[in-house]
Amino acid sequence: MTATGLAAALVDEYLVGSGAITLVGLISAYGAGAIPPAISALKALFSKGELDIDLLMVVAAVAAALVGAPVEGAVLLALFSISGALEHRAMGKARKAVEALMQLRPSVAELIDKNGTRTVPVSDLKPGDQVILRPGARVPVDGLVREGEGSMDESTITGESMPVSKAPGAALHEATVNLNAVLIMEVRRRLEESTVSQMVKLVTEAQAMKAPSEQFSAWFGQRYTWAVLIGSVLAYFGFLLYDYSHELALYRAATLLVAASPCAIVISVPAAILSALSASARGGVLFKGGAALERLAETRIFAFDKTGTLTTGKAVVTGVLALHGSADELLAIASGLEKFSEHPIASAIVSEAKSRSLTEVVVEQVVSTASVGIAGRAGERSVWAGNPRIALLRGANVGDLRLRDVQASAQTLVYVGEDERLLGVITVADEPRDTSARGIRALRSAGIERVVMMTGDRRPLAELVAKEMNISEVHADLLPADKVQLVDELANSAPTAFVGDGVNDAAALARADVGIAMGVAGSEVALQAADVALLSEDMQRLAEAHRLARRTKAVIRQNLGFALTAMIALVTAGAFFELPLPLAVIGHEGGTLLVVLNSLRLLWDPIRAS
Ligand code: ADP
Ligand code: MG
C-alpha cells in the first residue's frame, strides 16, 4: 500500500504531472506507512514507557514532509515497510520449523471398545485405551505396541530417517508414522503429556527465556533510541547554529535520525538465536531458550552419564546365577519388582521373564531408590534387587565364592535377595551407542579437552565403556548426590555440560551450566531438569549442536560489528557530508536486512546426522 502510493506519486510527478495524483499517492503512502507503526509505537510508549524504534522512522518521514521533501519521506516509509515485511518473513521462517510440529499430530484415533471400533477425538484418549494403528497412520499420543510388529518412521521427533522396528512392548511416540503393519497400541499418556505437546511447551518456554545478549540488546536498544531522538533534536539546533535554513536543518536532522537508528543492532541477536534454535530443533536438538544456546557455546567440559546415555539403555539379561532355588524363581521375583521401575536394567529383566513365560511374583509397597535398586513386599517376605548397596543395607552377604567370576567380569550386576538372604545375581549387558564414540571424538576435535564419565554402575564396566569412547576420567559407583558434587567441582574450573537420561541424573542436570537430557528414552524428570533435549539421542548431533552454538556466537559478533560500523559510517556521512535522506534510508534498511540474512545462514546450515 505504502509502496503503491509512492509509485503512483512518482509516476505522476515525473511522467503525468497532474499533481492531484501525486498528492493522493503521497497521502496514501503516508497513511499506510506511518499511521500503523505510529499507533503501536505510541501505545508502547504510554503503556510500558518503552520507546519503539519504529517511531523514529515515522518522526523522520513526517519531518521530511514538513520541510518540503514528502517524496523522500514516502521513500523512507515504503522501504521501511518492505524491509519490515521481509524481516517478518525471514523470522517467521525461523519460527516455523517448530510450529510445524503441532500440525503433525492427527486429530482423531480409532479406539477399540467392546462393540468394535469407533473414531474418537485424540483429546479423549486416556492411558490404558487401545487404539488401532493402520499402515501410514500417525501415532495419536504416546503409547506402546500391544499387538503386531512393524516399523515406524520417527523422523518427525528424532530427525532420524532410518525406520525403527517395533515389537509388542516397544514405545510409540506421538506424531511418528506407522510404515507397514497394522498395530494395536495401548495409550500411555494423554495428549497434553505426549511428546509433541512437551516439545512445543519447551519451545514456548524457550521464547520467553531470553539469552543474556538478547536482553542486553533490548536494554541497549531502549536507551539508545532515546539518545537518538534527543540527539537529533540537538543536531537540528546545531545545524541552525551552523547557519542552515530551518528547512535544511530539519531535513538533515531527519537524515541523522534515520542513519543513527539502531534497527540492525537490535535485531542482530534475536535473528541469530531464533535461526539457530530452529535449525537445531529440526535436527532433533531442542534448546529451552537462547541462554542455553549461549552457554553451550562456552562449554569447556562435557560430563556424561553412562547407562542410557553413552549406552543405548536397551539392556539385555545375559545370565542368571541362582545361589538358592532356580534361576526362574529368581527372575520371577526380580521382574515382579522391576516392572515398577523405569530403569533400562528393569526393562531387561522384565522382558527376560516374559520371554521365559514366567509368572512374576506379586510385589506390593514398592520403593525404588535411584542408583541403588528397588525393594518391596511379596506376602510375608521382603524382596529386593539392585547393586551391592542394597544387599549391604539388608545385611546380605555378597562375598559368596560362586560369585567371584561374575564379579570380576565387566558386566552390570543386579543382586536379588529375600529378607537378609542373597538369592543370586542377574547379569545385564547394555551396548554402547554407535554414535557415542564418534560424538565424543567430534567434541574433542572441536577443542573440548575434558570429557568425563559419571556413572552409578560398577567400575570395571565403566572403565571398559570409557576405554571404547576414549574417555580417561571415570567416576563410578556414584549416587545422585555424588554426581551433583562432581558437576559442581567441574563447573568451578570451567563451564560444564552434563549429559544424562535418568531420574538419578536430574539433580546433576539442573546443577550443570548446561544440562542435556536424552529426549525420547530419557525420563520425564531428566527432561524437566535439563536445558537441552537430545531427541535424536545421537551424540554426533550433540557435537553438531555445540558447533552450531559457537557459530551462532560468531554470527552475533559479525552482526553487531557490521551494524555498528554501518551506523557509524552513515552517521558520519549524515553529520558532515550532506548525505541525502534516501541514501540514509537505503543504508539503514539494507543494513538491517543484511543482518537478518546473515543470521539466516544458521538456519540453512542444519544439524546433520552422523
Ligand atoms: P548410570 O549412572 O550409569 O545411569 P544408574 O545410577 O542409573 O546408572 O544405576 C546404577 C546402578 O544402580 C545400576 O548399575 C544398578 O546396579 C543399580 N540400579 C539402579 N536402579 C536399579 C533397578 N531398578 N534395578 C536394579 N538395579 C538398579
Ligand atoms: Mg543413566
Side-chain angles (χ1 to χ4, degrees):
M1 177 73 187
T2 316
T4 325
L6 172 68
L10 286 177
V11 168
D12 182 63
E13 170 110 353
Y14 294 106
L15 300 176
V16 186
S18 85
I21 302 180
T22 310
L23 193 64
V24 172
L26 284 178
I27 288 175
S28 56
Y30 270 80
I35 293 176
I39 290 176
S40 70
L42 288 175
K43 264 196 197 143
L45 184 60
F46 288 112
S47 63
K48 289 182 271 176
E50 277 173 16
L51 192 55
D52 198 338
I53 306 172
D54 294 359
L55 193 63
L56 297 182
M57 295 298 128
V58 177
V59 170
V62 171
L66 286 180
V67 298
V71 176
E72 298 185 2
V75 168
L76 187 164
L77 289 174
L79 284 179
F80 174 64
S81 67
I82 291 170
S83 84
L86 287 176
E87 273 161 40
H88 199 79
R89 281 194 54 179
M91 300 287 263
K93 216 182 176 79
R95 205 168 281 141
K96 268 230 193 65
V98 181
E99 278 167 9
L101 282 172
M102 296 275 270
Q103 283 147 23
L104 291 175
R105 39 182 178 198
S107 51
V108 291
E110 214 175 321
L111 180 73
I112 306 175
D113 64 9
K114 40 191 182 313
N115 315 321
T117 67
R118 75 197 149 96
T119 305
V120 297
V122 171
S123 53
D124 284 0
L125 295 176
K126 49 188 189 312
D129 282 352
Q130 300 209 351
V131 172
I132 296 192
L133 270 188
R134 300 191 186 278
R138 283 188 188 276
V139 176
V141 290
D142 290 352
L144 40 85
V145 181
R146 254 288 121 122
E147 283 169 42
E149 263 174 54
S151 47
M152 305 288 300
D153 175 352
E154 300 194 328
S155 57
T156 44
I157 302 288
T158 63
E160 208 91 61
S161 53
M162 280 285 285
V164 185
S165 54
K166 301 277 174 174
L172 293 172
H173 305 291
E174 181 187 12
T176 56
V177 181
N178 177 13
L179 289 176
N180 45 21
V182 177
L183 299 176
I184 297 188
M185 169 186 135
E186 181 182 318
V187 172
R188 273 179 60 206
R189 297 204 186 102
R190 287 175 187 284
L191 182 65
E192 318 80 83
E193 292 151 9
S194 285
T195 316
V196 171
S197 308
Q198 291 289 336
M199 282 165 64
V200 171
K201 209 168 93 202
L202 286 186
V203 175
T204 349
E205 281 169 14
Q207 279 165 359
M209 270 189 278
K210 290 206 165 122
S213 57
E214 215 169 339
Q215 283 165 357
F216 172 75
S217 79
W219 176 89
F220 171 80
Q222 268 300 306
R223 276 157 187 71
Y224 183 82
T225 307
W226 279 108
V228 170
L229 201 57
I230 296 165
S232 306
V233 174
L234 293 179
Y236 165 72
F237 289 112
F239 287 132
L240 278 185
L241 287 179
Y242 210 74
D243 272 355
Y244 279 177
S245 71
H246 160 71
E247 275 83 16
L248 197 53
L250 196 55
Y251 178 87
R252 297 208 44 197
T255 310
L256 265 186
L257 187 66
V258 172
S261 286
C263 296
I265 297 175
V266 168
I267 204 149
S268 287
V269 183
I273 291 204
L274 196 58
S275 300
L277 289 183
S278 257
S280 61
R282 272 194 312 193
V285 183
L286 275 190
F287 285 88
K288 286 194 200 170
L293 188 81
E294 290 191 12
R295 287 200 304 272
L296 184 63
E298 281 148 21
T299 296
R300 305 285 305 282
I301 305 175
F302 276 83
F304 289 91
D305 164 55
K306 179 183 71 67
T307 321
T309 302
L310 290 174
T311 65
T312 60
K314 294 186 184 103
V316 285
V317 170
T318 51
V320 182
L321 185 76
L323 300 175
H324 301 280
S326 73
D328 283 357
E329 278 164 23
L330 189 72
L331 265 174
I333 293 176
S335 76
L337 279 162
E338 298 287 15
K339 74 173 195 189
F340 294 99
S341 168
E342 277 193 343
H343 203 278
I345 291 176
S347 26
I349 291 176
V350 172
S351 47
E352 178 68 17
K354 273 219 180 91
S355 76
R356 297 193 187 190
S357 318
L358 303 177
T359 347
E360 62 207 18
V361 170
V362 180
V363 185
E364 291 163 326
Q365 297 172 32
V366 176
V367 181
S368 106
T369 314
S371 297
V372 175
I374 190 161
R377 294 207 68 83
E380 292 296 291
R381 307 167 293 163
S382 90
V383 288
W384 43 270
N387 61 19
R389 285 179 212 269
I390 199 165
L392 240 68
L393 227 62
R394 304 283 158 155
N397 172 22
V398 294
D400 195 299
L401 284 180
R402 285 174 286 174
L403 297 177
R404 268 232 303 257
D405 283 351
V406 285
Q407 282 169 342
S409 72
Q411 298 185 82
T412 298
L413 305 183
V414 179
Y415 293 84
V416 183
E418 178 186 286
D419 299 323
E420 70 287 352
R421 188 162 65 149
L422 179 67
L423 294 178
V425 174
I426 301 174
T427 54
V428 177
D430 181 12
E431 292 289 308
R433 286 180 199 282
D434 52 5
T435 58
S436 297
R438 253 178 294 161
I440 288 171
R441 208 175 316 130
L443 282 174
R444 284 199 199 277
S445 60
I448 299 296
E449 278 161 20
R450 234 172 134 187
V451 179
V452 183
M453 179 195 279
M454 294 184 189
T455 178
D457 209 347
R458 309 166 59 221
R459 179 157 288 275
L461 179 54
E463 281 186 341
L464 189 77
V465 176
K467 206 166 144 207
E468 230 169 284
M469 317 263 148
N470 195 14
I471 299 176
S472 51
E473 209 175 326
V474 182
H475 302 271
D477 297 308
L478 302 177
L479 290 174
D482 303 328
K483 291 193 181 184
V484 175
Q485 198 191 340
L486 279 168
V487 164
D488 259 348
E489 281 166 23
L490 291 176
N492 277 337
S493 65
T496 302
F498 180 80
V499 194
D501 71 308
V503 179
N504 63 322
D505 301 318
L509 285 168
R511 188 63 68 92
D513 295 300
V514 188
I516 301 162
M518 307 307 283
V520 174
S523 70
E524 215 64 54
V525 208
L527 260 182
Q528 291 288 337
D531 306 299
V532 184
L534 213 53
L535 295 173
S536 72
E537 322 225 309
D538 174 346
M539 288 305 165
Q540 182 88 28
R541 292 189 195 212
L542 175 61
E544 288 264 311
H546 175 248
R547 183 187 61 88
L548 180 74
R550 285 194 172 175
R551 284 203 53 208
T552 308
K553 286 215 95 161
V555 165
I556 289 175
R557 265 197 305 273
Q558 291 158 10
N559 282 353
L560 287 175
F562 169 76
L564 275 169
T565 318
M567 194 185 69
I568 291 169
L570 284 175
V571 169
T572 314
F576 305 110
F577 300 104
E578 313 216 334
L579 176 73
L581 180 58
L583 274 189
V585 175
I586 290 170
H588 171 259
E589 298 298 341
T592 311
L593 270 183
L594 277 180
V595 161
V596 172
L597 287 179
N598 188 40
S599 307
L600 283 188
R601 287 193 305 141
L602 295 168
L603 191 63
W604 293 323
D605 172 27
I607 288 179
R608 280 179 298 269
S610 52

